Amino acid sequence: GHKREQIQERITPRSTADEMYLERDILNTETFEICKCSLDNIRMSDTLESSDNQTTKPLWCDAFLVITDTKSQNGSVSARGKVQVKCVCQGNEGIVVLTKELPLAEEIECEECKAGDSVRVEGRCVSLSISNETGEDSNKLFFDICCELECEVLKKYPCSLTRDCYSTKYETEVTYCDKELYSVAKMGNTTFTLSETIKQKNGEIAEIIEKIATPVLEKSEIKGSKLILSGKISGAILGKGQPREDGSYEYVSQGIDVPFKYEYDLGKPIKEHLIRAGVDIGNVALSGDGEKINITAELYPAFTVYEKTRERVL
């Protein structure tokens, strides 16, 4: 984002023959300001329904939101994504897991935003309620979710900094300072899929029932022209234990720590930089046998990379 124009001597428009001010060196660069706007209280309502008509009683429920695509427009930001609700229930014949995925399509008002601006959107589910509104035994549960989105827009504008000048009429004494200048190298939302296999602890889990998974971003760095985000997915797996001789079983759990590493091509090497990044998690699928567990997860990074330069200015 930095452009440098060297001007050896340029007479200012107000100069006269005996009063002359000259700019000897000027730096044309680009800076930015950050505009933030929030869209609160997005509400969604729907139902969870057991496909085999089992009567269900909720034991544990959760919801998550991920942003898959963003676009800047004149006066607004378009955000696309999905919200997933999951509920582990006690059914007539054992544990039942009910899920529902709802599409998310919102326009976030932002007066300062123009088409082509760099944007990043992050979201979260702030509340989830599950109920049986009929009050009777039913295979249908009603849910209500409240979500919020926060948008960050970067407004770019050019500026000129004088690096050196002199006057022919007045004796002058000049001072210089070193400035750190920042420009945005890349900003946005993206996605990637993680597939890993882990060992099962003592072969205790005969059947996987549910999982809890949270992404933890541990390190963000740039090597050459690559942005590298690394961390782990932490959580736990809940399952049925190996059956006893009488056919009964107990519930067992196993903690998981699955590392991930994501690389994004920035298009050019960046030596000095600042990085702001976060990672959300989408669908997580588990399968396996008594010895190993296969994990597939959708991860959604949101990041901003700032390039930093130092210039000596008047």
CSV table of all heavy atoms in Angstrom, one decimal, residues 113-161:
chain,number,residue,atom,x,y,z
A,113,CYS,N,-19.2,2.7,4.6
A,113,CYS,CA,-18.7,1.7,3.7
A,113,CYS,C,-18.9,2.0,2.3
A,113,CYS,O,-20.0,2.5,1.9
A,113,CYS,CB,-19.3,0.4,4.1
A,113,CYS,SG,-18.7,-1.1,3.2
A,114,LYS,N,-17.9,1.7,1.4
A,114,LYS,CA,-18.0,1.8,0.0
A,114,LYS,C,-17.7,0.4,-0.6
A,114,LYS,O,-16.9,-0.4,-0.1
A,114,LYS,CB,-17.1,2.8,-0.6
A,114,LYS,CG,-17.3,4.2,0.0
A,114,LYS,CD,-18.7,4.8,-0.4
A,114,LYS,CE,-18.9,6.2,0.1
A,114,LYS,NZ,-20.2,6.7,-0.2
A,115,ALA,N,-18.2,0.2,-1.8
A,115,ALA,CA,-17.9,-1.1,-2.5
A,115,ALA,C,-16.4,-1.2,-2.8
A,115,ALA,O,-15.8,-0.2,-3.2
A,115,ALA,CB,-18.7,-1.1,-3.8
A,116,GLY,N,-15.8,-2.3,-2.5
A,116,GLY,CA,-14.4,-2.5,-2.6
A,116,GLY,C,-13.6,-2.3,-1.4
A,116,GLY,O,-12.4,-2.6,-1.4
A,117,ASP,N,-14.2,-1.8,-0.3
A,117,ASP,CA,-13.5,-1.7,1.0
A,117,ASP,C,-13.2,-3.0,1.5
A,117,ASP,O,-13.9,-4.0,1.3
A,117,ASP,CB,-14.3,-0.9,2.0
A,117,ASP,CG,-14.4,0.6,1.7
A,117,ASP,OD1,-13.5,1.1,0.9
A,117,ASP,OD2,-15.2,1.3,2.3
A,118,SER,N,-12.1,-3.1,2.3
A,118,SER,CA,-11.8,-4.4,3.0
A,118,SER,C,-12.7,-4.5,4.2
A,118,SER,O,-12.8,-3.6,5.0
A,118,SER,CB,-10.3,-4.4,3.4
A,118,SER,OG,-9.5,-4.3,2.3
A,119,VAL,N,-13.2,-5.7,4.4
A,119,VAL,CA,-14.2,-5.9,5.5
A,119,VAL,C,-13.8,-7.3,6.2
A,119,VAL,O,-13.3,-8.2,5.6
A,119,VAL,CB,-15.6,-5.9,5.1
A,119,VAL,CG1,-16.0,-4.5,4.6
A,119,VAL,CG2,-15.9,-7.0,4.1
A,120,ARG,N,-14.2,-7.4,7.5
A,120,ARG,CA,-14.1,-8.6,8.2
A,120,ARG,C,-15.3,-8.6,9.1
A,120,ARG,O,-15.7,-7.6,9.8
A,120,ARG,CB,-12.8,-8.7,9.0
A,120,ARG,CG,-12.7,-10.0,9.8
A,120,ARG,CD,-11.4,-10.0,10.6
A,120,ARG,NE,-11.4,-9.0,11.7
A,120,ARG,CZ,-10.4,-8.9,12.6
A,120,ARG,NH1,-9.4,-9.7,12.5
A,120,ARG,NH2,-10.5,-8.0,13.5
A,121,VAL,N,-16.0,-9.8,9.2
A,121,VAL,CA,-17.2,-9.9,10.1
A,121,VAL,C,-17.0,-11.1,11.0
A,121,VAL,O,-16.6,-12.2,10.6
A,121,VAL,CB,-18.5,-10.1,9.2
A,121,VAL,CG1,-19.7,-10.3,10.1
A,121,VAL,CG2,-18.7,-8.9,8.3
A,122,GLU,N,-17.3,-10.9,12.3
A,122,GLU,CA,-17.3,-12.0,13.2
A,122,GLU,C,-18.7,-12.0,13.9
A,122,GLU,O,-19.3,-11.0,14.1
A,122,GLU,CB,-16.2,-11.8,14.3
A,122,GLU,CG,-14.8,-11.8,13.7
A,122,GLU,CD,-13.7,-11.8,14.7
A,122,GLU,OE1,-13.7,-12.7,15.6
A,122,GLU,OE2,-12.9,-10.8,14.7
A,123,GLY,N,-19.1,-13.2,14.3
A,123,GLY,CA,-20.4,-13.4,14.9
A,123,GLY,C,-20.4,-14.4,16.0
A,123,GLY,O,-19.5,-15.2,16.2
A,124,ARG,N,-21.4,-14.4,16.8
A,124,ARG,CA,-21.6,-15.3,17.9
A,124,ARG,C,-23.0,-15.5,18.3
A,124,ARG,O,-23.9,-14.7,18.1
A,124,ARG,CB,-20.8,-14.8,19.2
A,124,ARG,CG,-21.3,-13.5,19.7
A,124,ARG,CD,-20.3,-12.8,20.6
A,124,ARG,NE,-19.1,-12.4,19.8
A,124,ARG,CZ,-19.1,-11.3,19.2
A,124,ARG,NH1,-20.2,-10.4,19.2
A,124,ARG,NH2,-18.1,-10.9,18.5
A,125,CYS,N,-23.3,-16.7,18.9
A,125,CYS,CA,-24.7,-17.0,19.4
A,125,CYS,C,-24.6,-16.6,20.9
A,125,CYS,O,-23.8,-17.1,21.6
A,125,CYS,CB,-25.0,-18.4,19.3
A,125,CYS,SG,-25.2,-19.0,17.6
A,126,VAL,N,-25.5,-15.7,21.3
A,126,VAL,CA,-25.4,-15.2,22.7
A,126,VAL,C,-26.5,-15.9,23.6
A,126,VAL,O,-26.3,-15.9,24.8
A,126,VAL,CB,-25.6,-13.7,22.7
A,126,VAL,CG1,-24.4,-13.0,22.1
A,126,VAL,CG2,-26.9,-13.2,22.1
A,127,SER,N,-27.5,-16.5,23.0
A,127,SER,CA,-28.5,-17.2,23.8
A,127,SER,C,-29.2,-18.3,23.0
A,127,SER,O,-29.3,-18.1,21.8
A,127,SER,CB,-29.5,-16.3,24.5
A,127,SER,OG,-30.3,-15.7,23.5
A,128,LEU,N,-29.6,-19.3,23.7
A,128,LEU,CA,-30.3,-20.4,23.0
A,128,LEU,C,-31.4,-21.0,24.0
A,128,LEU,O,-31.0,-21.3,25.2
A,128,LEU,CB,-29.4,-21.5,22.6
A,128,LEU,CG,-30.0,-22.9,22.2
A,128,LEU,CD1,-30.8,-22.7,20.9
A,128,LEU,CD2,-29.0,-24.0,22.0
A,129,SER,N,-32.6,-21.1,23.6
A,129,SER,CA,-33.6,-21.6,24.5
A,129,SER,C,-34.3,-22.8,23.7
A,129,SER,O,-34.6,-22.7,22.5
A,129,SER,CB,-34.7,-20.6,24.9
A,129,SER,OG,-35.4,-20.1,23.8
A,130,ILE,N,-34.5,-23.9,24.4
A,130,ILE,CA,-35.2,-25.1,23.9
A,130,ILE,C,-36.4,-25.4,24.7
A,130,ILE,O,-36.3,-25.4,26.0
A,130,ILE,CB,-34.2,-26.3,23.9
A,130,ILE,CG1,-33.0,-26.0,23.1
A,130,ILE,CG2,-34.9,-27.6,23.4
A,130,ILE,CD1,-33.1,-26.2,21.7
A,131,SER,N,-37.5,-25.7,24.1
A,131,SER,CA,-38.7,-26.0,24.9
A,131,SER,C,-39.7,-26.9,24.1
A,131,SER,O,-39.6,-27.0,22.9
A,131,SER,CB,-39.5,-24.7,25.2
A,131,SER,OG,-40.0,-24.1,24.0
A,132,ASN,N,-40.5,-27.5,24.9
A,132,ASN,CA,-41.7,-28.3,24.3
A,132,ASN,C,-42.9,-27.5,24.6
A,132,ASN,O,-43.5,-27.5,25.6
A,132,ASN,CB,-41.7,-29.7,25.0
A,132,ASN,CG,-42.9,-30.5,24.5
A,132,ASN,OD1,-43.7,-30.0,23.7
A,132,ASN,ND2,-43.0,-31.8,24.9
A,133,GLU,N,-43.3,-26.7,23.6
A,133,GLU,CA,-44.4,-25.7,23.8
A,133,GLU,C,-45.7,-26.3,24.0
A,133,GLU,O,-46.6,-25.7,24.6
A,133,GLU,CB,-44.4,-24.7,22.6
A,133,GLU,CG,-43.1,-23.9,22.5
A,133,GLU,CD,-43.2,-22.8,21.4
A,133,GLU,OE1,-44.2,-22.8,20.7
A,133,GLU,OE2,-42.3,-22.0,21.3
A,134,THR,N,-45.9,-27.6,23.6
A,134,THR,CA,-47.2,-28.2,23.8
A,134,THR,C,-47.4,-28.7,25.2
A,134,THR,O,-48.5,-28.9,25.6
A,134,THR,CB,-47.4,-29.4,22.8
A,134,THR,OG1,-46.4,-30.4,23.1
A,134,THR,CG2,-47.2,-28.9,21.3
A,135,GLY,N,-46.3,-28.9,25.9
A,135,GLY,CA,-46.4,-29.5,27.3
A,135,GLY,C,-46.7,-30.9,27.3
A,135,GLY,O,-47.0,-31.5,28.4
A,136,GLU,N,-46.8,-31.6,26.2
A,136,GLU,CA,-47.1,-33.0,26.1
A,136,GLU,C,-46.0,-33.8,25.5
A,136,GLU,O,-45.0,-33.2,24.9
A,136,GLU,CB,-48.4,-33.2,25.2
A,136,GLU,CG,-49.6,-32.5,25.7
A,136,GLU,CD,-50.8,-32.6,24.8
A,136,GLU,OE1,-50.6,-33.2,23.7
A,136,GLU,OE2,-51.9,-32.1,25.1
A,137,ASP,N,-46.0,-35.1,25.7
A,137,ASP,CA,-45.0,-35.9,25.1
A,137,ASP,C,-45.0,-35.7,23.6
A,137,ASP,O,-46.0,-35.9,22.9
A,137,ASP,CB,-45.2,-37.4,25.4
A,137,ASP,CG,-44.9,-37.7,26.9
A,137,ASP,OD1,-44.2,-36.8,27.5
A,137,ASP,OD2,-45.3,-38.7,27.4
A,138,SER,N,-43.8,-35.4,23.0
A,138,SER,CA,-43.8,-35.1,21.6
A,138,SER,C,-42.4,-35.4,21.1
A,138,SER,O,-41.4,-35.4,21.8
A,138,SER,CB,-44.1,-33.6,21.3
A,138,SER,OG,-43.9,-33.2,20.0
A,139,ASN,N,-42.3,-35.6,19.7
A,139,ASN,CA,-41.0,-35.8,19.1
A,139,ASN,C,-40.5,-34.5,18.6
A,139,ASN,O,-39.5,-34.4,17.8
A,139,ASN,CB,-41.1,-36.8,18.0
A,139,ASN,CG,-41.9,-36.3,16.8
A,139,ASN,OD1,-42.9,-35.6,17.0
A,139,ASN,ND2,-41.5,-36.6,15.6
A,140,LYS,N,-41.1,-33.4,18.9
A,140,LYS,CA,-40.8,-32.1,18.3
A,140,LYS,C,-40.4,-31.1,19.5
A,140,LYS,O,-41.1,-31.0,20.5
A,140,LYS,CB,-41.9,-31.5,17.6
A,140,LYS,CG,-41.6,-30.2,16.8
A,140,LYS,CD,-42.8,-29.7,16.0
A,140,LYS,CE,-43.2,-30.6,14.9
A,140,LYS,NZ,-44.3,-30.1,14.1
A,141,LEU,N,-39.2,-30.4,19.3
A,141,LEU,CA,-38.8,-29.4,20.2
A,141,LEU,C,-38.7,-28.1,19.5
A,141,LEU,O,-38.3,-28.0,18.3
A,141,LEU,CB,-37.4,-29.8,20.8
A,141,LEU,CG,-37.3,-31.1,21.6
A,141,LEU,CD1,-35.9,-31.4,21.9
A,141,LEU,CD2,-38.1,-30.9,22.9
A,142,PHE,N,-39.0,-27.0,20.2
A,142,PHE,CA,-38.9,-25.7,19.6
A,142,PHE,C,-37.7,-25.0,20.1
A,142,PHE,O,-37.4,-25.1,21.3
A,142,PHE,CB,-40.2,-24.9,19.9
A,142,PHE,CG,-41.4,-25.5,19.4
A,142,PHE,CD1,-42.1,-26.4,20.1
A,142,PHE,CD2,-41.9,-25.0,18.1
A,142,PHE,CE1,-43.3,-27.0,19.5
A,142,PHE,CE2,-43.1,-25.6,17.6
A,142,PHE,CZ,-43.8,-26.6,18.3
A,143,PHE,N,-37.0,-24.2,19.3
A,143,PHE,CA,-35.8,-23.5,19.8
A,143,PHE,C,-35.9,-22.0,19.3
A,143,PHE,O,-36.5,-21.7,18.2
A,143,PHE,CB,-34.5,-24.1,19.4
A,143,PHE,CG,-34.2,-24.1,17.9
A,143,PHE,CD1,-33.7,-23.0,17.3
A,143,PHE,CD2,-34.5,-25.3,17.1
A,143,PHE,CE1,-33.4,-23.0,15.9
A,143,PHE,CE2,-34.2,-25.3,15.8
A,143,PHE,CZ,-33.7,-24.2,15.1
A,144,ASP,N,-35.2,-21.2,20.1
A,144,ASP,CA,-35.1,-19.7,19.7
A,144,ASP,C,-33.7,-19.3,20.0
A,144,ASP,O,-33.1,-19.6,21.1
A,144,ASP,CB,-36.1,-18.9,20.6
A,144,ASP,CG,-36.1,-17.5,20.2
A,144,ASP,OD1,-36.8,-17.2,19.2
A,144,ASP,OD2,-35.5,-16.6,20.8
A,145,ILE,N,-33.0,-18.7,19.0
A,145,ILE,CA,-31.6,-18.3,19.1
A,145,ILE,C,-31.5,-16.8,19.0
A,145,ILE,O,-32.2,-16.2,18.2
A,145,ILE,CB,-30.8,-18.9,18.0
A,145,ILE,CG1,-31.0,-20.4,18.0
A,145,ILE,CG2,-29.3,-18.6,18.3
A,145,ILE,CD1,-30.3,-21.0,16.8
A,146,CYS,N,-30.6,-16.2,19.8
A,146,CYS,CA,-30.3,-14.8,19.6
A,146,CYS,C,-28.8,-14.7,19.3
A,146,CYS,O,-28.0,-15.2,20.0
A,146,CYS,CB,-30.6,-14.0,20.9
A,146,CYS,SG,-30.2,-12.2,20.7
A,147,CYS,N,-28.5,-14.0,18.1
A,147,CYS,CA,-27.1,-13.9,17.7
A,147,CYS,C,-26.8,-12.4,17.5
A,147,CYS,O,-27.6,-11.6,17.4
A,147,CYS,CB,-26.9,-14.6,16.3
A,147,CYS,SG,-27.4,-16.3,16.3
A,148,GLU,N,-25.5,-12.1,17.4
A,148,GLU,CA,-25.0,-10.8,17.1
A,148,GLU,C,-23.8,-10.8,16.1
A,148,GLU,O,-23.0,-11.8,16.2
A,148,GLU,CB,-24.7,-10.0,18.3
A,148,GLU,CG,-23.6,-10.6,19.2
A,148,GLU,CD,-23.3,-9.7,20.4
A,148,GLU,OE1,-24.2,-9.0,20.8
A,148,GLU,OE2,-22.3,-9.9,21.0
A,149,LEU,N,-23.7,-9.8,15.3
A,149,LEU,CA,-22.6,-9.7,14.3
A,149,LEU,C,-21.9,-8.4,14.6
A,149,LEU,O,-22.5,-7.4,14.9
A,149,LEU,CB,-23.1,-9.8,12.9
A,149,LEU,CG,-23.9,-11.0,12.4
A,149,LEU,CD1,-24.3,-10.8,10.9
A,149,LEU,CD2,-23.0,-12.3,12.6
A,150,GLU,N,-20.6,-8.5,14.4
A,150,GLU,CA,-19.8,-7.3,14.5
A,150,GLU,C,-18.9,-7.2,13.2
A,150,GLU,O,-18.3,-8.1,12.8
A,150,GLU,CB,-18.9,-7.3,15.7
A,150,GLU,CG,-18.1,-6.0,15.9
A,150,GLU,CD,-17.3,-6.0,17.1
A,150,GLU,OE1,-17.8,-5.5,18.2
A,150,GLU,OE2,-16.1,-6.4,17.1
A,151,CYS,N,-19.0,-6.0,12.6
A,151,CYS,CA,-18.3,-5.8,11.3
A,151,CYS,C,-17.2,-4.8,11.5
A,151,CYS,O,-17.3,-3.8,12.2
A,151,CYS,CB,-19.3,-5.3,10.3
A,151,CYS,SG,-18.6,-4.9,8.7
A,152,GLU,N,-16.0,-5.0,10.8
A,152,GLU,CA,-14.9,-4.1,10.8
A,152,GLU,C,-14.6,-3.7,9.3
A,152,GLU,O,-14.4,-4.6,8.5
A,152,GLU,CB,-13.7,-4.7,11.5
A,152,GLU,CG,-12.6,-3.7,11.7
A,152,GLU,CD,-11.4,-4.4,12.5
A,152,GLU,OE1,-10.6,-5.0,11.8
A,152,GLU,OE2,-11.4,-4.3,13.7
A,153,VAL,N,-14.6,-2.4,9.0
A,153,VAL,CA,-14.4,-1.9,7.7
A,153,VAL,C,-13.1,-1.0,7.7
A,153,VAL,O,-13.0,-0.2,8.6
A,153,VAL,CB,-15.6,-1.1,7.2
A,153,VAL,CG1,-15.3,-0.6,5.7
A,153,VAL,CG2,-16.9,-1.9,7.2
A,154,LEU,N,-12.2,-1.2,6.8
A,154,LEU,CA,-11.1,-0.4,6.7
A,154,LEU,C,-11.2,0.7,5.5
A,154,LEU,O,-11.4,0.3,4.4
A,154,LEU,CB,-9.8,-1.2,6.4
A,154,LEU,CG,-9.4,-2.1,7.6
A,154,LEU,CD1,-8.0,-2.7,7.2
A,154,LEU,CD2,-9.3,-1.3,8.9
A,155,LYS,N,-11.2,1.9,5.9
A,155,LYS,CA,-11.3,3.0,4.9
A,155,LYS,C,-9.9,3.5,4.6
A,155,LYS,O,-9.2,4.0,5.4
A,155,LYS,CB,-12.2,4.2,5.5
A,155,LYS,CG,-13.6,3.8,5.9
A,155,LYS,CD,-14.4,3.4,4.7
A,155,LYS,CE,-14.5,4.6,3.8
A,155,LYS,NZ,-15.3,4.3,2.5
A,156,LYS,N,-9.6,3.4,3.3
A,156,LYS,CA,-8.2,3.8,2.9
A,156,LYS,C,-8.3,5.3,2.3
A,156,LYS,O,-9.3,5.6,1.7
A,156,LYS,CB,-7.7,2.9,1.8
A,156,LYS,CG,-7.5,1.5,2.2
A,156,LYS,CD,-7.0,0.6,1.1
A,156,LYS,CE,-6.9,-0.8,1.5
A,156,LYS,NZ,-6.4,-1.7,0.4
A,157,TYR,N,-7.3,6.0,2.6
A,157,TYR,CA,-7.2,7.3,1.9
A,157,TYR,C,-5.7,7.7,1.8
A,157,TYR,O,-4.9,7.3,2.6
A,157,TYR,CB,-7.9,8.4,2.7
A,157,TYR,CG,-7.5,8.6,4.1
A,157,TYR,CD1,-6.6,9.5,4.5
A,157,TYR,CD2,-8.2,7.9,5.2
A,157,TYR,CE1,-6.2,9.7,5.8
A,157,TYR,CE2,-7.8,8.1,6.5
A,157,TYR,CZ,-6.8,9.0,6.8
A,157,TYR,OH,-6.5,9.1,8.1
A,158,PRO,N,-5.3,8.5,0.8
A,158,PRO,CA,-3.9,8.9,0.6
A,158,PRO,C,-3.5,10.0,1.4
A,158,PRO,O,-4.3,10.8,1.8
A,158,PRO,CB,-3.9,9.2,-0.9
A,158,PRO,CG,-5.3,9.7,-1.2
A,158,PRO,CD,-6.2,8.9,-0.3
A,159,CYS,N,-2.2,10.2,1.7
A,159,CYS,CA,-1.7,11.3,2.4
A,159,CYS,C,-0.3,11.5,2.0
A,159,CYS,O,0.4,10.6,1.5
A,159,CYS,CB,-1.8,11.1,3.9
A,159,CYS,SG,-0.7,9.9,4.6
A,160,SER,N,0.2,12.8,2.1
A,160,SER,CA,1.6,13.1,1.7
A,160,SER,C,2.3,13.6,3.0
A,160,SER,O,1.8,14.4,3.8
A,160,SER,CB,1.6,14.2,0.7
A,160,SER,OG,0.9,13.8,-0.5
A,161,LEU,N,3.6,13.2,3.1
A,161,LEU,CA,4.4,13.5,4.2
A,161,LEU,C,5.7,14.2,3.6
A,161,LEU,O,6.3,13.6,2.7
A,161,LEU,CB,4.8,12.3,5.0
A,161,LEU,CG,3.7,11.5,5.7
A,161,LEU,CD1,4.2,10.3,6.3
A,161,LEU,CD2,2.9,12.4,6.7
